[in-house]
């Protein structure tokens, strides 16, 4: 009886594993995102956030990339800027960011940047690592 129960348990685990493998295989067949999927970012955005005023601009995709800028104002002064690009490389979409102080001195070394890998997209959101772009309604 124990052997029969053990065999049934092992079979159930194997079936669950096979179902998960099939689900993973099906989800990997989903179309990889293109720069066109991020087109709704294009434009000039303003709002409150991070304890100050935020301003962001995105240009349309050309030359295999999208280019964006970000300005953060605290009080009456610029606290920092960002230059951003979204490109698609061999791994998939990536958001790359360089930060600058108000006087345009860089935070990262000259050849370095912060890279956020693409996670997911929904109807009104794009996720790159810990960065979320939310489409206003």
């Amino acid at each position: 009886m124990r052997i029969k129960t053990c065999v049934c348990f092992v079979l159930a685990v194997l079936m669950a594993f096979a179902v998960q493998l099939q689900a993973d295989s099906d989800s990997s067949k989903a179309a990889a995102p293109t720069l066109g999927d991020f087109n709704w970012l294009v434009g000039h955005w303003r709002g409150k956030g991070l304890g100050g005023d935020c301003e962001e601009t995105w240009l349309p995709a050309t030359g295999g990339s999208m280019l964006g800028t970000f300005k953060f104002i605290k009080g009456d002064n610029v606290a920092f800027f960002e230059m951003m690009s979204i490109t698609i490389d061999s791994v998939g979409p990536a958001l790359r960011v360089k930060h600058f102080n108000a006087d345009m001195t860089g935070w990262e070394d000259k050849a370095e940047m912060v890279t956020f890998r693409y996670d997911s997209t929904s109807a009104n959101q794009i996720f790159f690592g810990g960065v979320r772009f939310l489409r206003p309604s």
Side-chain angles (χ1 to χ4, degrees):
M1 186 68 159
R2 262 188 199 189
I3 292 176
K4 208 176 208 182
T5 302
C6 186
V7 168
C8 287
F9 175 74
V10 169
L11 286 175
V13 169
L14 288 175
M15 286 176 59
F17 183 68
V19 167
Q20 183 61 46
L21 282 177
Q22 181 62 41
D24 290 346
S25 173
D26 290 346
S27 67
S28 68
K29 292 177 188 171
T34 66
L35 290 176
D37 295 320
F38 310 129
N39 236 10
W40 62 261
L41 289 171
V42 172
H44 189 173
W45 309 91
R46 289 183 180 179
K48 300 280 185 193
L50 306 172
D53 296 311
C54 301
E55 188 172 351
E56 187 163 315
T57 303
W58 281 95
L59 298 175
T62 56
S65 70
M66 291 181 72
L67 183 66
T69 61
F70 176 83
K71 178 168 59 172
F72 179 67
I73 301 166
K74 184 116 177 157
D76 292 331
N77 299 311
V78 171
F80 67 90
F81 300 103
E82 294 176 340
M83 284 291 290
M84 304 171 287
S85 72
I86 298 175
T87 57
I88 298 178
D89 57 25
S90 62
V91 178
L95 168 68
R96 292 183 174 84
V97 181
K98 288 192 74 82
H99 300 86
F100 301 89
N101 293 311
D103 65 0
M104 294 302 291
T105 54
W107 294 9
E108 294 85 15
D109 286 336
K110 188 175 182 178
E112 294 179 5
M113 67 210 72
V114 180
T115 301
F116 300 92
R117 299 307 313 188
Y118 171 79
D119 285 325
S120 63
T121 303
S122 70
N124 65 343
Q125 297 182 82
I126 304 170
F127 293 93
F128 284 94
V131 177
R132 177 181 79 152
F133 293 99
L134 178 62
R135 181 188 300 201
S137 42

